[in-house]
Amino acid sequence: MDIEYNKEPLRVTPYYSFKEEIDQCRNMAERKEAERKAKEEAERKAKEEAERKAKEEAERKAKEEAERKAKEEAERKAKEEAERKAKEEAERKAKEEAERKAKEEAERKAKEEAERKAKEEAERKAMEEAERKAKEEAERKAKEEAERKAKEEAERIAKEEAERKAKEEAERKAKEEAERIAKEEAERKAKEEAERKAKEEAERKAKEEAERKAKEEAECNSYKSMIEDFVSDIKECEYKDGIIFGKKKKIHYVANPITKRIWNAVVNKSSEADFDDNDFVPQKELGTFLENLNSYYSGKIVFEYLHKNIHALVHLQVYEKQDKNACFVYIKEEN
């Protein structure tokens, strides 16, 4: 029924409808609470599962790290043990080799000493035997000589004094004449031999001097020709003196690399050809090459090492495929 209050109609809700709404609200609240608890339980379980997996992963990694370190330690110890044994074996072999050599050297020296003493003893005995025989021979000859002289003296006295003196005089003169002739002949031959040797020595020295001068002249012309050939192949190179905003510049460079053959010609003034054409001279071994080359041209041409101009060097190595192991020179000009 309708009740008027302040002339406004009031709506009366039946009790069963009101209870229904309350039950619906309670059910909805309970459902939401159940959903919240289920969600929290799921999050808790997910968190616990994640922590468990993280813990297991950490334990696995720790175990792998421990095993790796244990393996490395075992390998290190095995390596050190092997090195120690190898070192001890090498020292033992070296000691045995040294002892063997010392023993062989001692035996060799002992053998040599024994041979030397035996030789000296044999020589001493041989000398004593020779001296004894020489003494006996001298005594025998002295005895025979004394007997011969006594016999000759008796015969000489028996001859006439005049014949003896005449004979002795003739023999003396003949001997003096023979000695004089022999002496003169020896002096003449010695003089001729000295003159011949002096002449041959003078001719030999003159010939050697002429050959030396000819060789030096040929050597000089040869090494000069090598230098002229070296600088004859001049090429032009245009490059930038910066990576991005560099200016274009030009140089004239010698296309031939510095080999040991041309280095020897410039520095030592030698035309020796016993070098390989691809035997390049490294930068650190160039020495006085540049000074000698500029001195050769006496200031008419001034050369500089190409590696002093890094931009031109890089350009030639990249675009002209210039050998990076070789050194080059270029003509130093005002750009």
Side-chain angles (χ1 to χ4, degrees):
M1 67 184 169
D2 295 329
I3 298 175
E4 291 184 2
Y5 181 77
N6 291 333
K7 297 182 180 182
E8 290 292 332
L10 295 175
R11 181 176 295 175
V12 178
T13 302
Y15 171 75
Y16 66 89
S17 296
F18 182 72
K19 184 177 183 298
E20 222 173 48
E21 288 179 0
I22 291 174
D23 291 337
Q24 286 177 356
C25 290
R26 183 183 295 113
N27 292 337
M28 186 178 293
E30 288 175 353
R31 187 172 61 252
K32 286 184 178 180
E33 181 64 18
E35 289 175 353
R36 182 185 64 78
K37 288 182 178 181
K39 184 179 179 181
E40 288 178 352
E41 182 65 15
E43 288 175 348
R44 183 185 63 76
K45 288 182 178 180
K47 183 178 179 182
E48 288 176 353
E49 181 64 18
E51 289 175 349
R52 183 186 63 77
K53 289 183 178 179
K55 182 179 179 182
E56 289 176 353
E57 182 64 16
E59 289 174 349
R60 184 186 61 80
K61 288 185 178 180
K63 183 180 179 182
E64 289 177 352
E65 181 65 16
E67 290 174 349
R68 184 185 63 78
K69 288 184 178 180
K71 184 180 178 182
E72 289 178 350
E73 181 65 15
E75 290 175 347
R76 182 186 65 78
K77 288 183 178 180
K79 183 179 179 182
E80 289 177 351
E81 181 64 15
E83 290 175 346
R84 183 186 63 77
K85 288 183 178 180
K87 183 179 179 182
E88 290 177 352
E89 182 64 14
E91 290 174 348
R92 184 186 62 78
K93 289 183 178 179
K95 182 179 179 181
E96 290 177 353
E97 181 66 14
E99 291 174 350
R100 183 186 63 78
K101 289 184 177 179
K103 183 179 179 182
E104 290 177 353
E105 182 65 15
E107 291 174 349
R108 183 185 64 79
K109 287 184 177 180
K111 183 179 178 182
E112 289 178 352
E113 182 65 16
E115 291 175 349
R116 183 186 64 78
K117 288 183 177 179
K119 184 178 179 183
E120 289 177 353
E121 182 65 15
E123 290 175 348
R124 183 185 63 77
K125 289 182 178 180
M127 183 179 288
E128 290 177 352
E129 182 65 15
E131 289 174 351
R132 183 185 64 77
K133 289 183 178 181
K135 183 179 180 182
E136 291 176 353
E137 182 66 17
E139 290 174 350
R140 183 186 63 78
K141 287 183 177 180
K143 183 178 180 181
E144 290 177 352
E145 184 65 12
E147 292 174 349
R148 183 186 63 77
K149 286 183 177 180
K151 183 179 179 182
E152 286 178 354
E153 183 64 17
E155 291 174 350
R156 185 185 61 78
I157 293 173
K159 291 181 181 180
E160 293 180 354
E161 187 66 21
E163 291 177 353
R164 183 186 63 77
K165 288 183 178 181
K167 184 179 179 181
E168 288 178 353
E169 184 64 20
E171 289 174 350
R172 183 184 63 78
K173 288 182 178 181
K175 183 179 180 181
E176 288 177 352
E177 184 64 17
E179 289 175 348
R180 183 186 63 77
I181 293 172
K183 183 179 179 181
E184 289 177 353
E185 182 65 17
E187 290 174 349
R188 181 185 65 77
K189 287 183 178 180
K191 183 178 179 181
E192 289 177 353
E193 181 66 16
E195 291 175 349
R196 182 185 65 77
K197 288 184 178 181
K199 183 180 179 182
E200 288 177 353
E201 182 66 15
E203 290 174 350
R204 183 185 63 78
K205 287 183 178 180
K207 183 179 179 182
E208 289 178 352
E209 182 67 16
E211 289 175 349
R212 184 185 63 79
K213 288 182 178 179
K215 184 178 179 181
E216 289 178 352
E217 183 68 21
E219 182 77 15
C220 181
N221 292 334
S222 180
Y223 89 80
K224 287 181 179 179
S225 175
M226 288 176 65
I227 297 174
E228 297 294 337
D229 290 342
F230 169 68
V231 301
S232 63
D233 190 2
I234 302 293
K235 291 186 178 180
E236 185 179 85
C237 168
E238 186 177 84
Y239 67 99
K240 285 186 177 182
D241 63 355
I243 299 176
I244 299 175
F245 302 106
K247 296 180 180 179
K248 285 187 177 181
K249 290 188 177 182
K250 288 183 179 180
I251 61 168
H252 292 86
Y253 69 97
V254 177
N256 296 312
I258 303 173
T259 62
K260 288 190 177 179
R261 180 179 295 171
I262 189 62
W263 185 92
N264 189 49
V266 172
V267 177
N268 296 325
K269 297 181 173 59
S270 170
S271 62
E272 183 180 352
D274 191 19
F275 294 104
D276 191 339
D277 289 337
N278 294 323
D279 200 359
F280 302 137
V281 179
Q283 286 185 24
K284 62 182 181 180
E285 297 180 10
L286 289 170
T288 60
F289 175 83
L290 192 66
E291 291 83 347
N292 289 76
L293 182 62
N294 286 329
S295 175
Y296 177 80
Y297 284 97
S298 303
K300 296 177 183 178
I301 306 176
V302 178
F303 293 95
E304 180 57 271
Y305 289 125
L306 187 58
H307 55 260
K308 295 294 182 67
N309 189 335
I310 189 63
H311 298 293
L313 177 64
V314 171
H315 176 88
L316 289 170
Q317 288 178 347
V318 173
Y319 296 101
E320 302 297 332
K321 306 302 180 184
Q322 197 178 68
D323 197 319
K324 294 182 180 181
N325 295 320
C327 295
F328 297 82
V329 296
Y330 72 96
I331 298 174
K332 196 174 183 181
E333 305 173 306
E334 291 297 332
N335 291 318

